[in-house]
Amino acid sequence: MSANLTDFVKNTIAGINNYEKDNLECNRELVRKAIEFYKMQSYEEVETTEQGTTKLLHVRSMAEENLLSKIVDIALERENECGIEEVYESRVIREY
């Protein structure tokens, strides 16, 4: 399965204009594309306050969280790191 995930990450990154590994927004776009591609129930919410705009990730199952984290780890070329927690700056809401 990880070979398929690696192919998904490489192909998706190739389709993201000016992808930069250290750019949070690029990696959030990768997460959004993974949610759409794998037809997940998780979703990103944009919250606007007086302080500015914040993006939150609502995760609907442990399986989806693990898959999204693995995709991020592959993109960042890391093993068993924070995954989506890092990309969303700990703004992950678990709904399971």
Side-chain angles (χ1 to χ4, degrees), residues 2-95:
S2 99
N4 291 336
L5 283 179
T6 302
D7 291 342
F8 168 79
V9 170
K10 286 180 183 178
N11 293 334
T12 304
I13 285 174
I16 297 175
N17 291 335
N18 302 319
Y19 177 83
E20 294 177 18
K21 181 170 66 168
D22 298 324
N23 184 317
L24 290 179
E25 191 52 44
C26 289
N27 289 304
R28 289 176 185 158
E29 185 173 348
L30 175 64
V31 169
R32 289 189 297 271
K33 289 181 181 288
I35 289 170
E36 182 180 326
F37 181 82
Y38 289 106
K39 297 178 177 37
M40 296 181 186
Q41 293 185 3
S42 297
Y43 62 96
E44 183 182 85
E45 175 186 15
V46 179
E47 182 179 88
T48 304
T49 63
E50 292 177 6
Q51 289 77 30
T53 301
T54 303
K55 293 188 179 180
L56 309 157
L57 182 65
H58 292 259
V59 181
R60 294 295 180 104
S61 72
M62 282 187 211
E64 289 184 5
E65 179 174 1
N66 290 336
L67 183 60
L68 292 172
S69 288
K70 182 66 177 169
I71 288 169
V72 169
D73 288 341
I74 292 169
L76 298 178
E77 300 173 352
R78 300 180 185 166
E79 288 242 355
N80 301 321
E81 291 292 323
C82 297
I84 58 174
E85 285 286 340
E86 181 179 348
V87 171
Y88 282 88
E89 300 173 314
S90 298
R91 294 181 183 101
V92 178
I93 300 167
R94 291 167 178 84
E95 299 177 348

